[in-house]
Amino acid sequence: MIQVQHEDFHVDALYKRLLQRNKTGAVVMFVGLVRQFTDQPEAECRFELEHYPGMTERNLQTIVDKAKLRWPLLDVCVVHRVGRLSVDDQIVFVGVSAAHRAEAFQACDYIMDYLKSRAAFWKKESHGTDSQWVAANSNDDKSLERWSE
């Protein structure tokens, strides 16, 4: 399941969706949150995510398909929010189920690394009257290096 949506998501419901009776030995989940991104605690931080409908979902599907080729996964669930978010709001859920923990951990990490660098999302951070579009992070690209074959 891959979803891009404005609405918040319920981690418990997504977890239950990943379970496959008598097969699931491990579920690994990652939930990303909006954090305070300025040193000025009194400044109200806002976060805005935009995407290109259709293209973003295809990017995510490609990432998930590649993970399924690398590891024997039972199921994968990716939910990414768009729109305006505030500090402590949930942004992204990546969940992976597998028979064993090693592949579940690796696949979840792989999907998040590629999602951060290759999915078509644009982020704008605002605090007070200042706002700026977030540039690509070189650390995200470095994280991808460990997955090269």
Side-chain angles (χ1 to χ4, degrees):
M1 174 181 100
I2 293 172
Q3 287 183 228
V4 177
Q5 63 190 41
H6 283 86
E7 302 79 28
D8 199 4
F9 50 83
H10 300 281
V11 173
D12 186 55
L14 296 171
Y15 165 76
K16 288 177 182 172
R17 181 182 170 87
L18 290 164
L19 301 177
Q20 293 190 16
R21 185 169 163 76
N22 297 324
K23 294 181 181 179
T24 304
V27 174
V28 173
M29 300 179 296
F30 172 83
V31 178
L33 307 170
V34 177
R35 70 183 184 294
Q36 180 79 13
F37 47 82
T38 178
D39 293 335
Q40 304 164 353
E42 70 282 352
E44 177 190 357
C45 290
R46 295 171 313 286
F47 194 73
E48 190 170 343
L49 282 154
E50 293 185 6
H51 77 297
Y52 192 97
M55 182 175 148
T56 303
E57 290 84 354
R58 280 191 303 278
N59 291 157
L60 294 172
Q61 187 64 59
T62 298
I63 294 164
V64 168
D65 290 346
K66 287 181 179 180
K68 287 180 176 180
L69 289 173
R70 287 182 79 133
W71 296 280
L73 306 177
L74 298 172
D75 203 0
V76 176
C77 180
V78 176
V79 178
H80 205 297
R81 294 182 64 197
V82 293
R84 292 179 186 207
L85 302 170
S86 299
V87 172
D88 295 331
D89 284 349
Q90 299 180 132
I91 302 171
V92 62
F93 174 93
V94 174
V96 175
S97 63
H100 304 284
R101 66 181 165 82
E103 54 259 25
F105 272 112
Q106 290 171 350
C108 189
D109 202 17
Y110 173 93
I111 291 167
M112 261 318 299
D113 280 349
Y114 275 87
L115 185 152
K116 287 275 293 175
S117 299
R118 300 293 188 259
F121 291 102
W122 295 271
K123 303 167 193 166
K124 182 160 84 172
E125 294 178 347
S126 304
H127 60 278
T129 58
D130 297 330
S131 66
Q132 64 183 14
W133 290 99
V134 178
N137 185 334
S138 62
N139 289 334
D140 292 336
D141 286 333
K142 286 180 186 174
S143 292
L144 297 181
E145 291 174 11
R146 64 192 170 126
W147 302 113
S148 3
E149 300 175 354

